[in-house]
Amino acid sequence: MALITILTTMTMTVKANSLKTASMEEVSYDDAQSYLEAFQKVIKIPNGYSFHSVNKVKADGVQAYLFRLEKSENKGMNGEHYSFVISEKDKQVLGFTNMDKRYSNTKMLSKSETEKIAKDFLLKLDNSLASELKNLWIERHDEEISVNGKKTVIAGMKYKCYRASQNDYAWVIVGFDGSVITFERNIKWNNGEHKRITEKWLHDNWLAENNLNIPTEEQTLKNLQKKLLQMEL
């Protein structure tokens, strides 16, 4: 944690689409600790994950923090990770994802089981949001991570909803064991072009495509050494 406290790094900016740019700026653990604590008050982070990095980002213009936690193995971009986005102003949980190899168990729950779990989760997290959502469909959803250098498919049942009052979407993805793999809210969508407008901060493939790579431990140490050298000068 001390390393993160000292370290400040460059801001990475890239054009995400024709309308706006996406950027991320790494900040210290100490500066963002209260947001991690706020998240943990409503969502339990699985065992086995440790803090890796936190970056300031914007989600559709809303200032937020992107946290990333990793395991001691299968770490790095496209590896196992637990990430979440929380708004800066009111500490609203905008989304989280648990890209864990245990979800390679592709025995899916039924649609009725998925619906019950997703509804219960949404009601506990934000009753106001839950009351405005209309379920559109429930289907299997796949993601891909790297486990010991091999591509591995992880899957869950996606409960996708629409909120007419804000013209946006939210969804919950439920794993084989009834645990929530992913939650996202306030997602804007371009239905004409059939593509997402809101930045995909929880998705490593989107980060990589836009040159917004999360620094490795080695890169973090190099940046720290450079910072310390500058301080000595």
Side-chain angles (χ1 to χ4, degrees), residues 38-201:
F39 179 83
Q40 291 180 301
K41 286 180 180 179
V42 291
I43 304 291
K44 177 177 171 55
I45 296 174
N47 295 329
Y49 287 93
S50 300
F51 175 79
H52 176 271
S53 61
V54 55
N55 287 270
K56 270 192 172 184
V57 299
K58 285 186 180 180
D60 283 321
V62 175
Q63 294 281 358
Y65 289 94
L66 167 65
F67 281 81
R68 185 183 182 94
L69 296 90
E70 295 186 346
K71 293 184 174 182
S72 58
E73 57 184 16
N74 294 324
K75 55 189 176 181
M77 292 291 288
N78 299 314
E80 293 182 88
H81 66 97
Y82 188 97
S83 297
F84 68 88
V85 178
I86 184 168
S87 67
E88 182 176 35
K89 183 178 180 180
D90 53 10
K91 296 183 177 178
Q92 182 182 80
V93 177
L94 300 178
F96 68 84
T97 194
N98 183 13
M99 294 289 98
D100 194 288
K101 65 182 180 182
R102 72 191 180 100
Y103 295 116
S104 60
N105 182 333
T106 54
K107 181 181 178 182
M108 297 293 97
L109 297 179
S110 68
K111 291 186 178 181
S112 60
E113 290 173 316
T114 300
E115 181 177 22
K116 182 181 185 309
I117 293 170
K119 281 185 174 180
D120 287 346
F121 170 81
L122 290 166
L123 285 168
K124 290 178 182 177
L125 181 67
D126 189 334
N127 182 60
S128 177
L129 172 68
S131 65
E132 291 192 78
L133 295 176
K134 177 183 178 181
N135 179 235
L136 300 177
W137 48 259
I138 305 172
E139 298 292 345
R140 172 173 164 161
H141 178 84
D142 291 359
E143 294 284 352
E144 191 176 87
I145 62 172
S146 177
V147 178
N148 297 322
K150 296 181 179 180
K151 292 181 179 180
T152 302
V153 173
I154 60 176
M157 292 292 285
K158 186 172 184 176
Y159 180 82
K160 184 173 182 178
C161 302
Y162 176 67
R163 180 168 59 163
S165 64
Q166 301 296 321
N167 190 29
D168 62 13
Y169 297 82
W171 49 77
V172 178
I173 300 176
V174 183
F176 71 96
D177 57 358
S179 61
V180 175
I181 300 175
T182 299
F183 161 70
E184 292 194 77
R185 65 174 295 169
N186 305 358
I187 304 300
K188 300 294 185 182
W189 199 268
N190 185 327
N191 289 309
E193 297 183 12
H194 304 288
K195 68 179 184 180
R196 175 169 165 163
I197 297 172
T198 304
E199 297 87 348
K200 299 181 181 181
W201 293 116

Side-chain angles (χ1 to χ4, degrees), residues 7-8 10 219-233:
L7 178 64
T8 56
M10 64 180 180
Q219 290 170 331
T220 298
L221 287 172
K222 286 181 180 179
N223 286 332
L224 173 60
Q225 292 170 349
K226 182 178 180 180
K227 182 67 176 180
L228 290 174
L229 180 60
Q230 291 174 343
M231 291 173 65
E232 290 175 358
L233 296 175

Side-chain angles (χ1 to χ4, degrees), residues 27-45:
V27 297
S28 74
Y29 173 85
D30 286 354
D31 287 344
Q33 184 177 0
S34 65
Y35 292 89
L36 175 59
E37 293 170 350
F39 179 83
Q40 291 180 301
K41 286 180 180 179
V42 291
I43 304 291
K44 177 177 171 55
I45 296 174

